[in-house]
Amino acid sequence: MTEPEDALVECYSGHTYAQEPRALVWQGQRYQEIQVTDRWRTPEGPSFRVLTESGDLFELRFHELTERWTIRSIPNAHWEVGAGGGSFMMAPGPFTH
């Protein structure tokens, strides 16, 4: 994975802030449609793996103490539509949290 960078993230906030990311801006590119593919919690706050409409995969983390989002690109991973409409991921190896 790449080093984390600051990101602008729009999120749904129901009973807590940063409950689920809905859109993000990274390196001048706005990703309006993102899908959460995984979520977990670290001591710093909630974390998410998200898929963009272009098929790129990112890891987002909200740091509750500093109230900022960071993003990491997950290189060499890309989602594509398979036979029958299902999605599959092509990647060099397993991902870790």
Side-chain angles (χ1 to χ4, degrees), residues 3 6 11 30-31 37 39 45 51-52 58 73 76-77 84 90-91:
E3 290 298 313
D6 286 341
C11 62
R30 179 174 172 77
Y31 298 94
T37 62
R39 66 182 74 218
L51 174 66
T52 68
F58 295 99
S73 173
N76 302 319
M90 300 182 332

Side-chain angles (χ1 to χ4, degrees), residues 47-82:
S47 298
F48 305 89
R49 184 161 294 128
V50 298
L51 174 66
T52 68
E53 66 269 20
S54 60
D56 297 313
L57 203 56
F58 295 99
E59 180 182 288
L60 296 174
R61 290 183 184 219
F62 181 66
H63 302 267
E64 293 173 328
L65 187 60
T66 58
E67 295 187 345
R68 73 181 184 102
W69 286 92
T70 58
I71 186 171
R72 289 182 197 211
S73 173
I74 302 175
N76 302 319
H78 193 81
W79 288 71
E80 296 182 3
V81 176

